[in-house]
Amino acid sequence: MKWRTILPQCCFLLVTCALTTLEAVPIDIDKTKVKSAQPVDSAKIEPPDTGLYYDEYLKQVIDVLETDSHFREKLQKADIEEIKSGRLSKELDLVSHHVRTKLDELKRQEVARLRMLIKAKLDSFQDTGIDHHALLKQFDHLNHMNPDKFESTDLDMLIKAATSDLEHYDKARHEEFKKYEMMKEHERREYLKTLSEEKRKEEESKFAEMKKKHENHPKVNHPGSKDQLKEVWEEADGLDPNDFDPKTFFKLHDVNSDGFLDEQELEALFTKELEKVYDPKNEEDDMVEMEEERLRMREHVMHEVDTNKDRLVTLEEFLKATEKKEFLEPDNWETLDQQQFFTEEELKEYENLISVQESKLKKKADELQKQKEDLQRQHDQLEAQKLEYHQVVQQMEQKKLQQISPSAPGGESKI
């Protein structure tokens, strides 16, 4: 199904199901010129992880809704705004009883899962007597007031929550990358402080040499430009660059043949460009930076091509983009090695934050150490008491034996 493949594109999360019956634009391709590849079975393509904490629940709801013919028919006539506004969610009241029953069960399972997570969190703090039902309010992807029934409100909340969360997902990834780079620089500087003057100079020289080596790479084509796509056409697809055709290119790289290029299919187009800059065998090349570069390339192309901002590229949008001046005469693409990820002020602020966190961790470690020593002391006391008790028992046994006299004549014991 088409919308299984584009699950992360939340704004278009449900409307894409309506388009599963549409055929892709027929384009003739000379298969003899294309490098041999294994046929893609769309039924075997697993939807990518959205990164949401309710990802599994979202996928299961989609699976169930796909089975209702009435809902699919309404989706065919719906537009994106109708879905995002929640008007389409009202159609849930008309789905079959069998589908509603399955959705009810999914919601009960999700509520049970969330309650288990809450309980585990509270148990870790040894809190008791807390209203777990009230704590369900923090989860905005379902209606906590009715934990047993999946209603139109639940579908509406699920769409809106996924839309909001995924819109901030890329931003969060950029922030994490920035922290990663600051931590890397912080650790490098801390390491230099432990070295002698001579060793420090050697290390600085090695760092500068590796940086220069990393920056010495072939020119990177502007993502989404004609030069970049023609390079993929020639080197990845094995076709004559003189025969480059945007329609054919789109068809070739629409891997699941759903009529769209989703974010994963777009990112795959940048592999050749990224290989110019990053090699996992090279010490100077950071693969975390490569993934950040891939994300930046995908965001740039989406910004330029995806005119309706549904996080999908249609054939029409793709062809219109190839008519722009930027496609034929793009600006130079600045790779990450030409940019500064953070300022000295930001690094200093981050280091201060690390210092505070380390102080808290040290305090916690000292407290745990003290608790360990107290427990060890109590253990030693118990062991001493146990030994003393054992000695007392032995003494009592010895006294008992001493009180027993030797056997008298006739075989009788005398006490």
Side-chain angles (χ1 to χ4, degrees):
M1 287 297 178
K2 175 183 169 301
W3 71 340
R4 289 174 182 268
T5 314
I6 57 170
L7 185 59
Q9 289 70 43
C10 53
C11 294
F12 214 51
L13 186 64
L14 299 176
V15 73
T16 51
C17 178
L19 300 174
T20 54
T21 56
L22 298 181
E23 296 292 335
V25 178
I27 301 173
D28 293 330
I29 301 176
D30 187 353
K31 297 295 184 180
T32 62
K33 296 182 180 180
V34 183
K35 290 182 179 179
S36 59
Q38 295 297 325
V40 178
D41 185 353
S42 60
K44 296 181 180 179
I45 298 176
E46 290 294 329
D49 194 324
T50 62
L52 303 176
Y53 66 89
Y54 48 90
D55 174 77
E56 188 64 26
Y57 175 63
L58 181 61
K59 292 176 182 177
Q60 290 173 342
V61 169
I62 290 174
D63 287 340
V64 174
L65 287 175
E66 281 181 345
T67 64
D68 187 85
S69 57
H70 170 78
F71 203 79
R72 292 166 66 91
E73 182 180 353
K74 291 295 182 182
L75 278 169
Q76 292 177 354
K77 303 175 182 179
D79 56 27
I80 297 174
E81 288 305 318
E82 188 175 357
I83 295 174
K84 293 173 66 176
S85 66
R87 294 196 301 273
L88 186 66
S89 301
K90 303 301 180 183
E91 296 296 330
L92 187 68
D93 296 333
L94 302 177
V95 300
S96 66
H97 175 72
H98 179 65
V99 171
R100 290 299 294 267
T101 301
K102 285 187 176 181
L103 291 173
D104 291 345
E105 178 60 25
L106 286 179
K107 183 177 179 181
R108 284 192 291 269
Q109 292 175 1
E110 178 70 357
V111 170
R113 183 184 73 89
L114 297 177
R115 284 174 173 166
M116 183 176 64
L117 292 175
I118 293 173
K119 183 179 184 301
K121 182 178 180 180
L122 296 179
D123 288 347
S124 67
F125 294 103
Q126 298 180 350
D127 290 335
T128 58
I130 295 180
D131 185 359
H132 288 204
H133 177 72
L135 289 175
L136 284 173
K137 292 180 180 179
Q138 64 184 293
F139 303 111
D140 56 2
H141 66 287
L142 49 72
N143 179 18
H144 68 281
M145 298 302 295
N146 187 356
D148 299 320
K149 295 291 184 181
F150 190 99
E151 302 169 325
S152 59
T153 305
D154 290 287
L155 183 57
D156 186 34
M157 293 179 70
L158 185 59
I159 295 172
K160 290 180 178 178
T163 302
S164 176
D165 292 342
L166 288 172
E167 282 177 350
H168 296 89
Y169 185 63
D170 287 345
K171 182 179 179 181
R173 285 181 60 183
H174 288 308
E175 288 296 323
E176 287 301 316
F177 173 74
K178 184 176 180 179
K179 290 179 182 178
Y180 167 80
E181 289 294 329
M182 289 192 290
M183 176 58 78
K184 195 165 68 170
E185 178 62 16
H186 167 71
E187 291 178 345
R188 188 185 76 86
R189 294 185 183 186
E190 290 298 308
Y191 172 67
L192 292 176
K193 292 178 182 178
T194 65
L195 304 178
S196 63
E197 183 69 23
E198 182 180 356
K199 289 289 185 181
R200 186 160 53 250
K201 288 182 179 179
E202 291 179 5
E203 194 66 26
E204 288 283 19
S205 176
K206 180 183 177 182
F207 177 76
E209 182 180 348
M210 289 178 59
K211 185 177 180 181
K212 183 178 180 181
K213 186 178 178 181
H214 172 69
E215 293 173 352
N216 185 24
H217 55 73
K219 177 187 175 183
V220 176
N221 291 314
H222 196 98
S225 67
K226 184 176 183 179
D227 290 339
Q228 190 259 314
L229 299 186
K230 282 184 69 175
E231 191 169 285
V232 175
W233 173 275
E234 180 179 7
E235 298 187 14
D237 301 331
L239 298 174
D240 188 339
N242 295 322
D243 295 335
F244 177 75
D245 177 64
K247 282 187 178 181
T248 306
F249 184 91
F250 185 95
K251 178 70 174 179
L252 281 172
H253 295 278
D254 177 17
V255 180
N256 56 1
S257 301
D258 61 3
F260 297 86
L261 292 181
D262 60 32
E263 294 181 344
Q264 287 70 41
E265 290 167 335
L266 276 179
E267 288 183 357
L269 300 179
F270 311 135
T271 300
K272 286 293 180 183
E273 298 304 316
L274 293 169
E275 288 176 349
K276 297 177 182 178
V277 186
Y278 300 95
D279 186 342
K281 298 178 182 179
N282 295 338
E283 183 183 2
E284 68 274 8
D285 297 338
D286 190 334
M287 295 300 103
V288 175
E289 293 180 1
M290 183 187 75
E291 292 307 315
E292 173 70 10
E293 189 81 72
R294 190 192 303 273
L295 173 60
R296 290 176 61 247
M297 288 180 171
R298 186 254 292 167
E299 286 181 324
H300 171 75
V301 172
M302 276 293 186
H303 178 73
E304 295 294 321
V305 182
D306 181 24
T307 55
N308 64 353
K309 307 305 176 186
D310 61 4
R311 301 172 77 97
L312 294 166
V313 175
T314 64
L315 176 61
E316 182 182 2
E317 289 173 328
F318 184 77
L319 295 180
K320 283 185 178 180
T322 61
E323 298 172 358
K324 296 180 180 179
K325 180 181 178 182
E326 293 80 1
F327 178 74
L328 301 173
E329 302 175 10
D331 298 329
N332 291 329
W333 178 256
E334 290 189 357
T335 53
L336 288 177
D337 51 54
Q338 298 173 284
Q339 301 181 28
Q340 186 177 2
F341 305 131
F342 52 84
T343 64
E344 282 296 321
E345 290 75 14
E346 289 175 324
L347 179 59
K348 185 176 181 181
E349 182 179 349
Y350 183 68
E351 289 178 328
N352 290 336
L353 178 62
I354 293 176
S355 178
V356 171
Q357 292 176 341
E358 289 177 345
S359 297
K360 290 181 179 179
L361 289 174
K362 186 177 183 306
K363 182 180 179 181
K364 185 66 175 178
D366 293 340
E367 292 175 355
L368 292 174
Q369 180 63 30
K370 187 176 183 302
Q371 291 177 9
K372 179 182 177 181
E373 293 173 356
D374 291 341
L375 289 173
Q376 185 63 45
R377 192 178 302 109
Q378 294 174 14
H379 174 74
D380 294 342
Q381 291 175 352
L382 290 173
E383 287 295 320
Q385 292 175 2
K386 179 181 177 181
L387 180 61
E388 183 179 355
Y389 173 76
H390 183 66
Q391 292 173 347
V392 169
V393 171
Q394 285 183 331
Q395 292 174 0
M396 292 177 65
E397 291 291 337
Q398 290 176 357
K399 287 181 179 180
K400 183 178 179 181
L401 291 174
Q402 291 174 358
Q403 291 174 359
I404 301 176
S405 61
S407 299
E412 294 182 358
S413 297
K414 182 180 180 181
I415 299 179

